[in-house]
Amino acid sequence: MDLGSPGEKHRQAVPNAQAPWAGFDSRAYVKANYLRLHDEDAEIISIMRDHFGDYFREHRQDADPVIGIDVGAGANLYPALAMLPWCKEITLVERSPQNLEYLESQLESYDENWNQFWTVLRENAEYQAYQGDPRRRFHEVTRVEPGNLLDFDRIARRGPWSVGTMFFVAESMTTEREEFDRGVGSFMRALAPGAPFFAAFMEHSEGYHVGAEFFPACDVGEQEVYESLEPFAGKIDTLRLKRLGAPGNLRKGYSGMIVAYGRRNLDSDIPES
């Protein structure tokens, strides 16, 4: 999500490798999106916290330690905060050099603007039960790692992860449907069988500006999102999708947002890559 409007000259095909990731202005992105809590983010957080809260309430006695991953973290900390109470380790994977620098800058003591996002998470009883200092725990358990969702094998070998998030990544890195589907598959294959996940997508995005640069987007709606996730999450649990937000609330050039959540299938149900 970012301010700015796509123009006709940007409607050409732009694969992931051709996008100007070195020019992604993380400070401009945070200023436009995360200095204050937007209603859309508050709604997304409420759905995500209840999904994770319900899962970990039912599985709190599981013996294996919980490790989390946020794929394409960008300059957004709230997906990691949503996993924080249960994880002994959280990996933030990101490609853009400026975003990697921003994430590293937040590890010691994240900025005050992220407190309002934690407050929304705390409206769920499972998060209220966590009595630790979230800023200190974020410092203790979070690590930042460079990585590309379309070249994910090296990172995926460190998994499988117990819980995962992917916010506005697969559809916001390319115009190509094949790369979108491959990105979603890479994310889902990195998760452990039965792992809870939460993903968010811009619906029918035409692309977006961050600072002086324009970045591509793949035009997807609920059907495309469902088709990309169903092979990985349609067996063990009901795959849930919800459309929210109004066109143009945050920027021009998209029709809404889609959140998708559930649990990853068992290994025997995952299609071969």
Side-chain angles (χ1 to χ4, degrees), residues 143-177:
R143 54 175 289 166
V144 177
E145 184 163 344
N148 181 350
L149 184 57
L150 297 180
D151 185 21
F152 209 52
D153 289 347
R154 175 182 60 84
I155 296 171
R157 282 197 294 268
R158 291 189 47 245
W161 277 269
S162 318
V163 56
T165 55
M166 183 177 67
F167 272 62
F168 309 113
V169 179
E171 84 293 359
S172 298
M173 64 178 188
T174 179
T175 60
E176 306 302 291
R177 175 67 188 275

Side-chain angles (χ1 to χ4, degrees), residues 13-272:
V14 182
N16 175 264
Q18 294 180 15
W21 299 114
F24 195 103
D25 188 338
S26 58
R27 296 291 173 178
Y29 191 81
V30 171
K31 182 178 180 181
N33 294 287
Y34 300 126
L35 289 187
R36 69 178 182 87
L37 176 64
H38 293 284
D39 291 342
E40 289 85 351
D41 286 312
E43 185 174 4
I44 291 171
I45 292 170
S46 69
I47 299 169
M48 177 170 54
R49 74 169 184 225
D50 292 345
H51 174 53
F52 287 155
D54 289 347
Y55 176 85
F56 286 108
R57 183 179 63 252
E58 297 173 3
H59 296 82
R60 68 172 77 253
Q61 301 303 322
D62 288 0
D64 293 337
V66 177
I67 58 172
I69 187 167
D70 183 29
V71 177
N76 181 7
L77 301 191
Y78 76 66
L81 294 176
M83 298 183 279
L84 198 63
W86 302 283
C87 289
K88 74 158 193 175
E89 177 186 309
I90 298 173
T91 300
L92 309 182
V93 180
E94 173 56 34
R95 178 175 183 174
S96 160
Q98 289 194 53
N99 282 339
L100 287 166
E101 182 179 344
Y102 174 80
L103 293 171
E104 291 282 0
S105 77
Q106 299 299 297
L107 294 182
E108 183 67 30
S109 179
Y110 59 71
D111 292 342
E112 293 294 321
N113 61 293
W114 296 108
N115 292 344
Q116 60 196 320
F117 297 87
W118 179 252
T119 297
V120 178
L121 290 167
R122 290 271 296 170
E123 293 174 10
N124 179 286
E126 295 302 309
Y127 290 85
Q128 293 173 18
Y130 175 71
Q131 296 299 313
D133 178 356
R135 187 172 274 101
R136 179 176 179 180
R137 183 162 180 83
F138 187 86
H139 166 70
E140 292 172 344
V141 307
T142 305
R143 54 175 289 166
V144 177
E145 184 163 344
N148 181 350
L149 184 57
L150 297 180
D151 185 21
F152 209 52
D153 289 347
R154 175 182 60 84
I155 296 171
R157 282 197 294 268
R158 291 189 47 245
W161 277 269
S162 318
V163 56
T165 55
M166 183 177 67
F167 272 62
F168 309 113
V169 179
E171 84 293 359
S172 298
M173 64 178 188
T174 179
T175 60
E176 306 302 291
R177 175 67 188 275
E178 183 275 333
E179 289 190 328
F180 167 79
D181 288 336
R182 185 150 53 99
V184 172
S186 294
F187 167 61
M188 295 302 295
R189 285 189 174 91
L191 302 177
F197 70 90
F198 196 98
F201 305 86
M202 299 301 286
E203 180 187 62
H204 300 307
S205 176
E206 299 173 1
Y208 57 105
H209 287 94
V210 179
E213 298 287 357
F214 182 84
F215 293 86
C218 186
D219 182 1
V220 297
E222 289 182 271
Q223 184 65 31
E224 290 80 9
V225 170
Y226 180 84
E227 289 174 354
S228 70
L229 284 166
E230 194 277 336
F232 303 96
K235 301 291 193 302
I236 194 172
D237 198 11
T238 301
L239 174 61
R240 284 153 286 185
L241 271 67
K242 182 175 182 180
R243 185 182 181 279
L244 52 89
N249 273 9
L250 300 166
R251 61 166 170 82
K252 296 180 180 178
Y254 74 100
S255 61
M257 286 168 281
I258 300 165
V259 295
Y261 52 105
R263 291 188 291 159
R264 181 195 184 273
N265 289 342
L266 303 178
D267 277 332
S268 59
D269 294 322
I270 294 292
E272 295 183 4

